[in-house]
């Protein structure tokens, strides 16, 4: 059915940049949102950024001004450009997509994650 696959993770030095990509297959863009989450081992998952079908984006306070989320609907791709990285950005980053139900959209689709390590 719906499959999300992240790529682009790796190691970066503080102040550096990385760009994450997510291939979203079997998914129809609607009024629901796509987004990026991150998680440190043993801690709760944190929403980094998400974007609506019309392109409206939101960011967590910790990344606003440094990260940019974009989508390419024609290619079913989601991106996260990460600039001016800090050690606090170290985490496993997950691509996620909402599934529309008759009453709401829910974060039901998730990728396997890609490790980002900043030193």
């Amino acid at each position: 059915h719906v499959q999300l696959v992240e790529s682009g993770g790796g190691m970066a030095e503080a102040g550096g940049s990385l760009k994450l990509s997510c291939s979203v297959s079997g998914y129809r863009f609607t009024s629901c949102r796509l987004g990026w989450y991150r998680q440190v081992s043993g801690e709760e998952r944190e929403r980094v950024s998400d974007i609506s079908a019309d392109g409206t984006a939101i960011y967590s306070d910790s990344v606003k001004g440094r990260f940019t989320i974009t989508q390419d609907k024609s290619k079913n791709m989601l991106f996260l450009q990460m600039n001016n990285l800090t050690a606090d950005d170290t985490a496993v980053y997950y691509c996620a997509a909402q599934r529309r139900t008759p009453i709401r959209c829910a974060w039901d689709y998730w990728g396997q994650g890609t490790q980002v390590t900043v030193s």
Side-chain angles (χ1 to χ4, degrees):
H1 205 48
V2 176
Q3 196 77 25
L4 293 81
V5 181
E6 304 94 338
S7 62
M11 294 182 291
E13 296 184 351
S17 298
L18 287 173
K19 185 174 183 178
L20 305 183
S21 299
C22 176
S23 174
V24 187
S25 62
Y27 187 77
R28 302 293 186 188
F29 285 76
T30 65
S31 60
C32 296
R33 305 178 74 86
L34 300 171
W36 290 95
Y37 287 71
R38 65 187 181 187
Q39 185 171 27
V40 177
S41 180
E43 299 184 5
E44 297 295 319
R45 185 178 60 214
E46 172 192 22
R47 185 172 65 180
V48 176
S49 179
D50 60 44
I51 186 168
S52 67
D54 68 2
T56 302
I58 61 173
Y59 301 90
S60 68
D61 290 340
S62 62
V63 308
K64 190 172 184 179
R66 300 187 298 119
F67 291 10
T68 303
I69 187 171
T70 56
Q71 63 187 343
D72 187 334
K73 295 179 180 179
S74 67
K75 297 180 175 59
N76 273 24
M77 294 290 295
L78 181 71
F79 305 97
L80 184 68
Q81 178 67 50
M82 305 186 295
N83 296 328
N84 195 24
L85 289 162
T86 75
D88 289 338
D89 296 318
T90 296
V92 176
Y93 284 71
Y94 296 91
C95 177
Q98 291 187 325
R99 179 175 63 90
R100 187 164 196 163
T101 72
I103 57 174
R104 63 168 57 89
C105 295
W107 293 103
D108 282 347
Y109 303 124
W110 297 88
Q112 292 295 305
T114 184
Q115 176 71 47
V116 172
T117 302
V118 183
S119 60

